[in-house]
Amino acid sequence: AVAGGSQATAAAADSTPLSIPEVALRWLNYFGLLAMLGAAGIPLLVIRSSAAQAEEPGLGPFYRSLPRRIYTLGALAGAFVFSVELLYLAWQITSLTGNDPNAAPQDAVGQMLFHTTWGYAWIARQALTAVLIPLFTGLARASDTGSIPAEVDSIPAEVNSTTEGPAKWLKRLA
């Protein structure tokens, strides 16, 4: 009976409702991550193939300027996600220490970041975001000058053109 009771207690503790600020921070983070994901894929998979199929003569400059704008959005979304994650960490620390005047926030930060799975995941997300921000910025600058590497620039054309495209592309990378 004790084991079943402790499982029920653990299940009840896991099902406590989240506060409104925590839900808002999570959703802001999700939206930022989705914007970064879109900024990574849309210029390569959608715009490139659409630009190749554009029949209107005036659409060329429009399609050429879109990758720069989308990569800039990716960099801004990365900065947004990085900031929201910092706010979320602050919220978690505040929730952990509560209103205890004797609680040391620096101890709680160390405990949370380096001794929990949540902390390891948080560090990994922040590190990845910190890498993606300058990557998106560099891609935005490179797309302005047309100097995106040919290997990256040719992926959608080969994947979309034939069924042999992905195999050729993978062989070239190997």
Side-chain angles (χ1 to χ4, degrees):
V2 174
S6 64
Q7 288 177 350
T9 304
D14 287 342
S15 64
T16 56
L18 300 174
S19 65
I20 291 174
E22 186 172 2
V23 170
L25 286 171
R26 285 183 179 200
W27 276 103
L28 288 172
N29 189 37
Y30 295 147
F31 287 135
L33 291 171
L34 283 173
M36 286 174 55
L37 181 65
I42 288 175
L44 294 174
L45 300 173
V46 177
I47 293 176
R48 173 112 162 81
S49 60
S50 298
Q53 297 171 2
E55 296 178 13
E56 296 289 325
L59 290 180
F62 171 74
Y63 279 112
R64 282 190 297 275
S65 70
L66 276 179
R68 176 187 53 81
R69 292 177 182 170
I70 292 173
Y71 289 137
T72 301
L73 173 68
L76 292 173
F80 178 76
V81 166
F82 196 87
S83 301
V84 168
E85 285 284 340
L86 288 174
L87 289 173
Y88 192 51
L89 175 64
W91 176 262
Q92 290 291 334
I93 297 303
T94 303
S95 298
L96 184 64
T97 58
N99 293 330
D100 184 9
N102 297 327
Q106 63 274 15
D107 294 339
V109 170
Q111 181 69 26
M112 184 171 280
L113 289 181
F114 302 113
H115 299 290
T116 64
T117 305
W118 184 90
Y120 297 141
W122 186 89
I123 291 169
R125 283 191 308 266
Q126 289 297 85
L128 181 62
T129 304
V131 168
L132 288 176
I133 293 169
L135 178 68
F136 279 130
T137 303
L139 285 170
R141 289 182 182 154
S143 66
D144 250 355
T145 62
S147 61
I148 294 178
E151 291 81 13
V152 173
D153 201 31
S154 67
I155 293 170
E158 290 182 12
V159 170
N160 293 333
S161 64
T162 67
T163 56
E164 295 175 1
K168 287 191 308 188
W169 181 71
L170 288 173
K171 286 179 188 175
R172 198 170 60 194
L173 287 179

